[in-house]
Amino acid sequence: MNRKISLGLSISLIIISITATFAITMVVSRQIFNSIMSDISQRSQTYGAVDEINKIVSNYFYGSVEDQNRLNAALAAGYVNGLGDSNSLYLSAAEYSDYTARLEGGVTGIGVETAYNYRTGQFVITHVYEESPAAKAGLKALDVITAIDNTSVTMNNYAQLNELLYGSLLSSVKVEYERDGETKTVEPMLGFSIPSVRGNLTGNVGYIKISGFYKNTASEFKAVAEKLIEQGAESLIFDVRNTSDGSIDYAAQVIDVIVPAISDNIAVAKDKNGSIYKNKVFTAENSSITMPFAVLINGNTSGPAELFACDLRDISQAQLIGTKTAGVGTMQELFALEDGGAVLLTVALVEPKGGAAAVYDKIGIEPEIEVTLSTGSSVDLELLTPEQDNQLSTALNMLSA
């Protein structure tokens, strides 16, 4: 049976509805207002000090701000540094260009690796890449570089001068070196693409050094591994000591070359709310390499190299040999800025295979076989003799048995 309500009751219901809607709107509005005011307050505190300093400088600084871009860059760098995260960085336009070029194309230079020997006070070439400008100029491993571009090498300036041996510009660099008591000078060209992966064979054990995880690292790794296997390698040693460069994405690509396809993920990136960050779920789908593995690690094994070591241990039962890793288990992303620079910002926590229980951020990864170097240092690995590098010799002995 249909029932009719009176006009008075209808008006009353409408008034009650309007009142309720108004009350709810006021509550929501108050929450939004409080949120906005809190944000404004935080912004005011953030920029207030900078504005105050700017006024003081404008009124009292005995001088003039001649380079506004440099001042802006310093402010940006200071802001990022204030986050307290050593893996988040402000990059100038030039640094941003260099960083992306390195990540996307690897390292370029004359084709050498070097190390400063503090015991002898000599700047030594430790490796010369085949077909590189350095090799064609006649440079060899164990040559002692005495001067670069007419500047003598010292303990204080070798790191700065070493940078002159790298770069993509098609120009040359003058290198003065000593060999067997004789001094010579050559001018190799820059621009050679230095591989991020190299290897050699000792008996039936292959050794692969990975210096960084870049866009081309997976393909380089596959080529080196296949060559060693063709030469008779029955086991492989992966050396990621002192390796921290590159990205988690490219490390996952290298892992995919090695490990078999698994139903689980090899890594997942989680944001600050615990959600998957931008669909960053890494899987293993390619064909695998089936043989015994060992991974050399140390306190400078960091970031993508730690994911590499952790996943090989947990998926392919690789033996980790060396010392505890750095404990950087986060992922960084580049954000371009209007001034041409960029912010490299930590955006997610990396969960390797095994999930949260396997997270190594701020903890590090412990080796199954702990071996410290006989020299007591892990900095000049390339200068060590086979007898001094007892981490490598331990791996060789284990896999050769």
Side-chain angles (χ1 to χ4, degrees), residues 37-84:
M37 289 305 295
S38 175
D39 189 47
I40 290 174
S41 177
Q42 290 176 354
R43 291 186 180 184
S44 177
Q45 292 176 4
T46 300
Y47 302 117
V50 175
D51 185 55
E52 186 177 4
I53 292 172
N54 184 56
K55 290 177 181 178
I56 293 172
V57 170
S58 298
N59 291 328
Y60 301 106
F61 178 53
Y62 186 75
S64 60
V65 179
E66 298 179 356
D67 191 340
Q68 188 64 43
N69 291 332
R70 185 177 66 180
L71 180 60
N72 292 340
L75 287 170
Y79 186 100
V80 178
N81 289 339
L83 298 176

Side-chain angles (χ1 to χ4, degrees), residues 225-275:
E226 288 178 347
K227 182 178 180 180
L228 290 174
I229 293 171
E230 288 176 3
Q231 293 173 344
E234 297 178 2
S235 57
L236 293 173
I237 298 171
F238 306 123
D239 190 348
V240 289
R241 293 175 296 176
N242 294 353
T243 301
S244 60
D245 283 354
S247 74
I248 295 297
D249 298 71
Y250 295 141
Q253 291 179 9
V254 179
I255 296 167
D256 192 14
V257 174
I258 305 170
V259 304
I262 58 175
S263 57
D264 197 2
N265 303 312
I266 62 175
V268 179
K270 298 284 189 70
D271 64 19
K272 61 184 178 182
N273 298 315
S275 302

Side-chain angles (χ1 to χ4, degrees), residues 205-228:
V205 181
Y207 167 85
I208 298 178
K209 171 63 179 176
I210 305 173
S211 58
F213 292 90
Y214 311 121
K215 185 177 183 179
N216 53 356
T217 300
S219 60
E220 290 178 357
F221 177 89
K222 186 175 182 180
V224 171
E226 288 178 347
K227 182 178 180 180
L228 290 174

Side-chain angles (χ1 to χ4, degrees), residues 20 48 61 126 139-140 155 161 182 199 210 219 241 298:
F61 178 53
T126 57
L139 292 172
K140 297 180 179 181
M155 184 178 67
L161 291 178
E182 185 179 358
I210 305 173
S219 60
R241 293 175 296 176
N298 67 6

Side-chain angles (χ1 to χ4, degrees), residues 340-388:
V343 172
L344 181 67
L345 192 67
T346 296
V347 294
L349 179 72
V350 177
E351 287 189 0
K353 181 184 180 300
V359 169
Y360 48 83
D361 186 52
K362 299 180 181 178
I363 300 172
I365 301 170
E366 296 281 357
E368 278 81 24
I369 304 174
E370 184 173 1
V371 181
T372 57
L373 290 173
S374 58
T375 58
S377 172
S378 62
V379 177
D380 298 326
L381 291 171
E382 298 293 336
L383 294 173
L384 299 180
T385 64
E387 294 74 24
Q388 292 173 322

